[in-house]
Amino acid sequence: MEPSINLRHAIEQRRAVRAFQPTLIPPVIFSEILRLGMRSPSGFNLQPWRFIILRSLDSKEKLKACAFNQPQVTQAPAVLICCSDRRVVEPEYIESVIQLGREQGAINDSYADYIRTAIANTFEKHPSFESIETWTNRQAMLAVAHIMIVAQAYGVDSCPMEGFVASEVKAAFNIPEEVDVCCLLALGYATQPFKKYGGRFSVEQVCYGESYGEVWEDESLI
């Protein structure tokens, strides 16, 4: 079950699709998109991403009402409600991650002790984030990005969406208080034509050398 598009082309061809065909995504491809997408990295391997997969029209209509009636919600054959779970810092969950690592031969007793201490210190002092929601959302969005690229490699288009009322989505789909909605992700096959590529700033405009604002030079051009 190999992708039909190589990585470079998948990245270059990906667009945020606004209209979808009714064609269903083959189950074997959809399952592989999810499996590979969730090979995304996460801090301490806590994997705080959670996805509610909507396929029925009733569910998508319910979501559409929470998402300013955007048509791609019901057009796409599958829509993911992409969430992050703040409960991943609870001791019982941390132990489940450690056990997973033990089963893979990746964690021994000393490393398990280190992980417990490091996680406790990180979330007590949180030097690089203001709230646990910020941290879990970061991790979840890494997984969303992976899913979009993997999907494109299999010829499946996507549309990440921030246009929704989070409180309404949580109420409509029984999402716990400790779980946050990061984005919606519509998946399917785009109708033609695609919208034009909007361009990206050059590497030199957004990358700096050694210090913010310092000119970075591509050594391959020197």
Side-chain angles (χ1 to χ4, degrees):
M1 189 62 202
E2 294 298 325
S4 58
I5 302 171
N6 71 36
L7 178 62
R8 181 171 67 85
H9 288 150
I11 292 171
E12 291 180 339
Q13 292 174 16
R14 188 208 58 78
R15 298 286 186 278
V17 171
R18 303 302 181 194
F20 290 88
Q21 304 174 31
T23 307
L24 298 178
I25 304 169
V28 66
I29 290 178
F30 190 76
S31 294
E32 191 69 352
I33 289 170
L34 294 177
R35 186 186 74 82
L36 291 175
M38 289 175 215
R39 292 295 295 265
S40 172
S42 63
F44 304 108
N45 199 31
L46 289 177
Q47 307 168 57
W49 46 74
R50 304 289 184 265
F51 299 97
I52 303 172
I53 302 167
L54 306 184
R55 286 176 167 166
S56 76
L57 183 57
D58 286 347
S59 293
K60 290 185 286 186
E61 287 283 6
K62 186 165 61 171
L63 179 62
K64 184 179 178 181
C66 306
F68 306 107
N69 293 310
Q70 295 179 79
Q72 61 267 42
V73 174
T74 49
Q75 288 177 354
V79 181
L80 309 185
I81 302 176
C82 308
C83 305
S84 64
D85 193 334
R86 285 176 264 129
R87 295 172 295 186
V88 297
V89 299
E90 294 177 357
E92 184 177 353
Y93 183 87
I94 293 169
E95 291 305 316
S96 73
V97 172
I98 290 172
Q99 179 59 31
L100 178 63
R102 289 187 191 277
E103 292 169 1
Q104 299 296 316
I107 294 179
N108 56 26
D109 288 345
S110 62
Y111 190 46
D113 289 340
Y114 162 76
I115 289 174
R116 294 184 187 103
T117 301
I119 291 175
N121 287 337
T122 296
F123 291 99
E124 177 185 355
K125 300 174 181 176
H126 51 85
S128 66
F129 52 91
E130 291 299 318
S131 68
I132 186 173
E133 180 181 352
T134 299
W135 186 88
T136 53
N137 280 354
R138 285 179 187 174
Q139 316 303 310
M141 292 307 293
L142 286 172
V144 172
H146 270 64
I147 289 172
M148 287 192 291
I149 296 302
V150 172
Q152 195 66 52
Y154 280 99
V156 176
D157 299 296
S158 61
C159 180
M161 303 167 62
E162 292 184 290
F164 58 89
V165 181
S167 60
E168 293 181 5
V169 175
K170 293 183 72 167
F173 293 93
N174 303 313
I175 298 173
E177 166 62 27
E178 302 88 352
V179 176
D180 303 297
V181 182
C182 304
C183 73
L184 311 178
L185 183 64
L187 293 167
Y189 300 97
T191 58
Q192 300 292 339
F194 289 107
K195 69 175 184 179
K196 289 189 175 181
Y197 173 57
R200 293 293 186 272
F201 293 116
S202 69
V203 172
E204 290 77 14
Q205 284 180 274
V206 298
C207 294
Y208 306 116
E210 313 303 335
S211 180
Y212 194 95
E214 295 296 320
V215 175
W216 177 80
E217 293 183 354
D218 186 345
E219 294 182 0
S220 68
L221 301 178
I222 297 176

